[in-house]
Amino acid sequence: NNNNNNNMADETTSLIPNGEDNNGNTKLSWSQTLMASHSEEHHELTSAAFLLRDAIILSDKSSALFDHKDYLISSQPITGSGSSDSEFAKISRKILTSRIVTTILSIAVVTLVVTSFIEPPNWCRNFVSQDSNGTTYDGCRAAMQMRGVPAFYVDDTEDEIQYYYPSMRDDLLNVKQAFVVESLAVSILVLHTMLCIAKEGFSFHRFFMLSLDEKMDTLTSKTMKNIRIFRIIRVLSLFFLAKGLIVEFFTASLTQVRPMAIFFRMFLFVSYSEGVQRELLIALEIIPQLFSVAVVLFMVTAFYGLIGVAAFYDTAEGALHFSNWVEGIWTLWTSMTTVIYPDVMMAGYNENRFVPLFFVSFMMLTFFFLLNVMLAVVVNGYNSSNDAREKEIEITKVNYLTKAFELITAKSGELCVTYDQMMAVFLVLNEECDEIPRIPQYQTEIMFAVLDQTGTESLDFNEFMNFTSVMMLKFEEVNPTLLERIFPSLQMSETYHKLRDFVESVTFDYAIDAIILLNFAVVIVQSYPELAGHSVQENPKLQDGMIDTFWEGVETLFSVIYLIEMTSKILLLGWKQYSSSLRNLFDGFVTVLAVGAMIVVYYPDGYTNSHLIRFVVMSRIVRIFRLFMVIKPFKVMSRTFIGVLPAAGRVGLLLFCVVYTFSAIGMYFFGGNITRDPNNPMSYVLEGTDFADNFYWANNFNDLLSGINVCFNLLVINNWNEMESGIIAISNKYSRYFFFFFFVCGVILVNNLVVAIVVDFFFNELEEVDTEKNDVEKEARGGVKKLSRGGTNLLFDGGKLPEGKKHHQYVASTRGLTGLQQKNVMSKFFV
């Protein structure tokens, strides 16, 4: 125990430059002593640490909304003895990686995008109109509030009084407020960019990564090119946004229309979002693969369009849909999306029963075959891109680890890394590499012990190559529970350990699940009359605040059982272990609510309606869905849903960017043109269109949020031709290309990316479930010993650790990895 306390003291003083011993003499800290003993190797150790930093980052599978690391793969910060540039670069790097700065940066980027939704739209900033009473309306807010009898109002099939310019009316900021908010956000991003340049020693050459070494590995070279492109986009977007704001400020013209600002804000969002960048690059890689299928699709559509013009010449079908070749191609394209099929052929079908042969054969070739070929190309392209990326990452990691090993062992000439050398490397990682989490000293000792599989107090090449895998492990010391601290003798009790093992066992969980299943049956029986729609007279005893009915006794019994479950887990396992499970937290929350409801209901002179307890306890029944996890199909589906969330989140952000961009385009070209204002001639051109006949007035581009709703409707495909009829009426037929390009980008590309991700994760989870089943069968035959419950946490003894740590137990858990990767890492080090 004394040794343990001394080691912990070293850990707390390791970050102090110097201190004093018991006699008042100055002494070097652990950090200074370690670096002093390796002063000749300092440069090599620092270089190796930065290589290891990059390998660690490449190994981390976790993905956040924003990537603030902003690091250059396989390069080190500006260094130099006492140079002001190197000192300023180091300070800038510290600032950029601080939690406060990254939070402010995230808020600034999101604020810019949100501003596009709540600022006045550009089309109405100089709006001036006058109603029939002579009242003048000026500005966006006035335009959005204009109401009255709409143009070509006929009867009571719609409200007589309507807003003339339908919108979400979400302009929460006026023009001046929007200017201030945008200026603050842009100022923060400009300052952040200046710090990024300062981090590179004020070198634009380094900031834009203009030097590519031919000896660079593929991943590093590709990464540098991508970072360069997004940094150029970031700088240009900031320049044009700042320029527009400065012009507005000095000209005092806050109503000046800046139509491109809404796009530059999205460009900035993409340049800061690592998840969007990753999926966007995959999408761009897939586009060339789709080209050949797209050419075949166009040729088939053009060929059928030519036949349609000739076959339906001088017929009702021809007049409606095949008046010329271009119209025929557009009709067939629209029918391929199923939005007008089979309506498109009914005029000809009513005259000739052989007409369906033309349309059915076209749909078989395009909808059933070519569109699914496109889906297959996207799925294959996504999988190939991910596989290639994983392969490049693995090759690069091995390269970094090999170079780091050579650098560390270069001076000594030994083919192994010593304990002191590894501790020095960990020190550099802590003090110089803010991109990775700080590693406490006690964890560095555990990591070294785990790496040192041979117990030689040094790492050979093969052991050192496992460094990144060990860095994915997190070690926490197992502390006694509150019950064990109060009664230390319990730790020596065999009965206590058996009881604790039972509470942790699957049998205990299944017993509670059986009780929940019984609780569910009781609720169904108790509530059957209400569920069947029968009129039920309530028992007056339910309102007397006493447990004097059968059902009240049953509800109380279930609440008591749940309370015993929660209490036993907290006392036997400890609060830390109990609270680490979201399921436990949910169960505990509902249990506390149920007990609180009992107290409120049955406390004298208090609230007496016992229905409150039933409603609270019913929420506990949600746990019944856990039983589905035992059945393989449900298990695969649930794990696919959970596993796909990070990747789906990235694609969801990409889809948001696509929808945002097309909505902004629609607002630029069509904003303010969907109107019921009788004084606006544009309102009358919509009369008689499918758009007006179906009262699609809210589907417009008068503001960004309304436009996003339109784009979502287009994504679902249904009835988009009716929205198209309104847009064409207020513009021209060239606006069709808006809908065409959105279908290509939103449906064929991004929507199919979502399908590709789900398919990929589904098969991975299916394979993993089969692997787990085989492991269970082997375990039943005595072939292997199960590593841990769930494969993600493992309790082990510190027998190979330094003296002060030997008698402790630790929990090893993984971070940033999928379930199968977690299990592989665990099995690499623990038997």
Side-chain angles (χ1 to χ4, degrees):
N1 287 335
N2 290 334
N3 289 336
N4 179 43
N5 292 335
N6 290 337
N7 282 346
M8 293 304 293
D10 286 344
E11 181 185 31
T12 57
T13 59
S14 62
L15 300 181
I16 302 175
N18 52 61
E20 294 182 352
D21 59 19
N22 294 332
N23 298 321
N25 300 318
T26 301
K27 64 176 183 178
L28 293 175
S29 67
W30 174 79
S31 304
Q32 290 181 317
T33 303
L34 190 60
M35 292 311 297
S37 63
H38 294 282
S39 57
E40 294 182 358
E41 303 173 343
H42 180 69
H43 178 70
E44 286 76 12
L45 291 175
T46 302
S47 300
F50 279 100
L51 286 167
L52 293 175
R53 173 207 63 178
D54 294 339
I56 293 167
I57 292 173
L58 289 174
S59 299
D60 194 347
K61 305 297 180 183
S62 60
S63 177
L65 174 62
F66 293 106
D67 175 33
H68 300 301
K69 299 183 183 75
D70 216 357
Y71 69 97
L72 171 58
I73 291 181
S74 70
S75 75
Q76 300 175 21
I78 303 296
T79 56
S81 56
S83 69
S84 58
D85 282 353
S86 64
E87 287 301 316
F88 201 83
K90 187 173 182 178
I91 294 172
S92 300
R93 192 170 70 253
K94 293 285 185 183
I95 294 173
L96 287 171
T97 53
S98 69
R99 187 178 298 274
I100 295 176
V101 171
T102 55
T103 302
I104 292 173
L105 178 63
S106 300
I107 293 173
V109 174
V110 173
T111 298
L112 269 184
V113 176
V114 172
T115 301
S116 301
F117 289 90
I118 60 177
E119 70 175 355
N122 285 319
W123 65 267
C124 59
R125 291 196 175 189
N126 297 313
F127 178 86
V128 177
S129 183
Q130 195 174 59
D131 63 14
S132 56
N133 298 324
T135 304
T136 300
Y137 293 88
D138 184 13
C140 281
R141 189 155 296 180
M144 300 297 186
Q145 297 300 324
M146 287 181 65
R147 301 179 64 185
V149 179
F152 56 89
Y153 173 78
V154 179
D155 52 32
D156 57 359
T157 56
E158 56 179 332
D159 294 335
E160 183 177 0
I161 304 299
Q162 297 185 27
Y163 287 101
Y164 286 163
Y165 293 88
S167 70
M168 294 287 186
R169 291 183 291 281
D170 52 2
D171 52 330
L172 304 179
L173 304 179
N174 58 38
V175 177
K176 291 183 179 179
Q177 292 168 338
F179 174 82
V180 172
V181 171
E182 184 178 7
S183 298
L184 287 173
V186 169
S187 299
I188 291 171
L189 297 183
V190 169
L191 181 60
H192 172 264
T193 303
M194 292 173 64
L195 286 171
C196 290
I197 297 172
K199 180 174 71 72
E200 303 296 345
F202 295 100
S203 170
F204 287 97
H205 193 270
R206 283 174 60 91
F207 177 74
F208 289 113
M209 301 186 182
L210 300 177
S211 57
L212 288 177
D213 191 346
E214 294 181 357
K215 297 180 180 179
M216 283 183 178
D217 56 85
T218 305
L219 180 64
T220 303
S221 176
K222 186 186 296 185
T223 301
M224 290 179 67
K225 289 178 181 177
N226 293 336
I227 291 176
R228 179 198 306 159
I229 292 171
F230 287 113
R231 284 185 176 177
I232 290 173
I233 292 173
R234 181 188 304 175
V235 170
L236 289 178
S237 299
L238 280 174
F239 171 77
F240 286 113
L241 278 178
K243 175 177 174 293
L245 291 170
I246 291 171
V247 170
E248 279 195 28
F249 179 77
F250 284 104
T251 59
S253 177
L254 296 182
T255 58
Q256 178 181 351
V257 175
R258 294 186 296 124
M260 295 305 295
I262 195 171
F263 298 100
F264 290 134
R265 294 168 191 162
M266 178 50 62
F267 295 160
L268 280 171
F269 180 84
V270 173
S271 72
Y272 278 102
S273 176
E274 183 190 36
V276 174
Q277 292 172 22
R278 174 178 170 179
E279 301 305 326
L280 178 61
L281 292 173
I282 291 176
L284 293 176
E285 290 176 4
I286 293 174
I287 288 176
Q289 302 174 37
L290 287 171
F291 183 74
S292 58
V293 186
V295 170
V296 174
L297 179 61
F298 173 76
M299 292 176 64
V300 170
T301 307
F303 176 71
Y304 269 82
L306 189 63
I307 294 176
V309 171
F312 300 120
Y313 179 74
D314 201 22
T315 64
E317 181 73 27
L320 285 172
H321 304 298
F322 292 92
S323 58
N324 56 63
W325 193 20
V326 174
E327 285 298 314
I329 291 174
W330 181 255
T331 295
L332 292 170
W333 165 265
T334 309
S335 64
M336 184 195 66
T337 67
T338 71
V339 69
I340 61 171
Y341 189 85
D343 297 354
V344 64
M345 69 176 183
M346 294 312 299
Y349 187 31
N350 289 329
E351 296 179 1
N352 191 327
R353 289 297 186 268
F354 291 100
V355 166
L357 292 176
F358 172 82
F359 288 98
V360 169
S361 62
F362 173 78
M363 293 295 287
M364 292 290 290
L365 282 172
T366 56
F367 178 75
F368 288 101
F369 178 67
L370 290 177
L371 285 185
N372 285 318
V373 170
M374 284 188 166
L375 173 60
V377 169
V378 173
V379 171
N380 181 68
Y382 180 83
N383 291 335
S384 300
S385 178
N386 274 339
D387 291 343
R389 183 173 180 270
E390 293 296 327
K391 187 176 180 180
E392 289 172 355
I393 287 175
E394 192 60 34
I395 292 173
T396 305
K397 279 197 312 184
V398 171
N399 184 28
Y400 289 168
L401 290 169
T402 303
K403 288 181 179 179
F405 184 83
E406 292 172 352
L407 284 169
I408 296 172
T409 59
K411 291 284 186 181
S412 64
E414 300 288 338
L415 295 179
C416 61
V417 178
T418 65
Y419 172 84
D420 283 346
Q421 287 173 327
M422 279 306 304
M423 292 301 107
V425 168
F426 280 123
L427 178 63
V428 176
L429 287 173
N430 276 341
E431 295 189 350
E432 299 292 339
C433 303
D434 300 296
E435 299 87 357
I436 61 175
R438 177 167 288 276
I439 313 162
Q441 184 180 338
Y442 83 92
Q443 287 207 24
T444 64
E445 296 169 352
I446 298 175
M447 288 176 179
F448 183 86
V450 172
L451 282 171
D452 183 18
Q453 295 287 300
T454 57
T456 59
E457 291 299 318
S458 63
L459 306 179
D460 60 26
F461 178 76
N462 291 329
E463 291 173 335
F464 185 82
M465 295 301 285
N466 291 324
F467 179 81
T468 54
S469 296
V470 171
M471 287 297 295
M472 292 298 103
L473 296 174
K474 180 182 179 182
F475 301 94
E476 291 182 286
E477 188 175 334
V478 178
N479 296 313
T481 64
L482 177 63
L483 198 62
E484 293 168 351
R485 289 197 296 270
I486 297 174
F487 305 103
S489 59
L490 286 176
Q491 298 189 52
M492 307 300 294
S493 171
E494 184 178 350
T495 304
Y496 171 77
H497 285 287
K498 285 183 178 180
L499 182 60
R500 176 170 177 164
D501 290 341
F502 174 70
V503 171
E504 283 190 287
S505 67
V506 177
T507 304
F508 184 79
D509 284 341
Y510 285 163
I512 296 299
D513 288 335
I515 293 172
I516 292 174
L517 192 62
L518 180 62
N519 191 174
F520 177 75
V522 168
V523 169
I524 294 297
V525 173
Q526 186 180 4
S527 306
Y528 178 76
E530 292 92 336
L531 296 174
H534 299 153
S535 178
V536 179
Q537 185 175 2
E538 187 173 314
N539 188 341
K541 291 185 177 181
L542 295 176
Q543 304 288 342
D544 61 4
M546 301 288 291
I547 306 177
D548 50 5
T549 68
F550 174 77
W551 293 122
E552 285 180 313
V554 171
E555 290 165 359
T556 303
L557 177 62
F558 281 121
S559 297
V560 171
I561 292 174
Y562 297 147
L563 180 62
I564 292 173
E565 178 213 5
M566 181 187 74
T567 306
S568 62
K569 283 186 175 181
I570 293 176
L571 290 177
L572 295 173
L573 306 182
W575 172 253
K576 187 172 184 180
Q577 183 175 343
Y578 179 85
S579 61
S580 63
S581 169
L582 292 177
R583 190 183 69 194
N584 283 342
L585 290 176
F586 171 76
D587 293 340
F589 176 73
V590 175
T591 299
V592 170
L593 283 183
V595 173
M598 286 176 56
I599 294 172
V600 170
V601 171
Y602 297 129
Y603 185 77
D605 300 325
Y607 182 78
T608 59
N609 191 345
S610 63
H611 286 297
L612 177 63
I613 301 175
R614 194 203 314 179
F615 291 137
V616 173
V617 174
M618 281 177 63
S619 61
R620 183 70 178 255
I621 298 173
V622 174
R623 269 190 64 181
I624 198 173
F625 291 106
R626 182 181 180 276
L627 298 177
F628 288 121
M629 292 294 290
V630 181
I631 306 171
K632 180 180 175 180
F634 293 108
K635 186 176 184 179
V636 173
M637 280 193 295
S638 60
R639 287 172 57 162
T640 299
F641 175 76
I642 295 171
V644 82
L645 288 179
R650 295 193 300 268
V651 179
L653 278 178
L654 176 61
L655 183 59
F656 167 75
C657 295
V658 171
V659 169
Y660 174 102
T661 303
F662 274 88
S663 177
I665 293 172
M667 195 163 65
Y668 177 79
F669 286 105
F670 315 124
N673 289 335
I674 299 294
T675 176
R676 304 299 305 275
D677 185 359
N679 296 320
N680 189 336
M682 188 65 70
S683 62
Y684 293 97
V685 302
L686 292 166
E687 189 173 6
T689 62
D690 290 340
F691 181 93
D693 293 342
N694 289 284
F695 306 106
Y696 268 40
W697 302 109
N699 290 325
N700 57 64
F701 293 96
N702 289 344
D703 63 297
L704 192 63
L705 197 56
S706 296
I708 284 182
N709 178 65
V710 171
C711 289
F712 182 81
N713 295 340
L714 299 179
L715 197 65
V716 179
I717 296 176
N718 194 33
N719 287 354
W720 68 263
N721 61 311
E722 295 179 356
M723 286 179 276
E724 175 211 13
S725 68
I727 297 300
I728 289 178
I730 61 173
S731 54
N732 52 58
K733 287 191 175 183
Y734 289 107
S735 58
R736 286 174 170 176
Y737 292 109
F738 173 87
F739 297 91
F740 171 79
F741 283 114
F742 181 83
F743 184 87
V744 172
C745 296
V747 178
I748 292 180
L749 197 56
V750 180
N751 206 26
N752 283 342
L753 267 180
V754 175
V755 176
I757 290 171
V758 173
V759 170
D760 183 50
F761 271 87
F762 180 83
F763 283 111
N764 286 340
E765 293 297 336
L766 188 63
E767 180 183 355
E768 186 173 339
V769 169
D770 289 336
T771 302
E772 290 176 357
K773 181 181 178 182
N774 294 334
D775 288 346
V776 171
E777 291 174 354
K778 289 179 182 179
E779 182 182 353
R781 296 194 298 266
V784 296
K785 183 179 179 182
K786 190 173 182 181
L787 290 174
S788 61
R789 186 173 298 115
T792 59
N793 293 280
L794 179 67
L795 181 70
F796 70 97
D797 291 316
K800 290 179 62 178
L801 303 180
E803 283 297 323
K805 303 292 180 182
K806 276 188 176 181
H807 304 294
H808 291 271
Q809 285 186 320
Y810 297 88
V811 170
S813 58
T814 51
R815 61 180 179 86
L817 301 175
T818 64
L820 191 57
Q821 290 166 338
Q822 290 172 342
K823 187 174 180 181
N824 291 337
V825 168
M826 285 293 188
S827 61
K828 187 179 291 186
F829 303 109
F830 304 105
V831 179

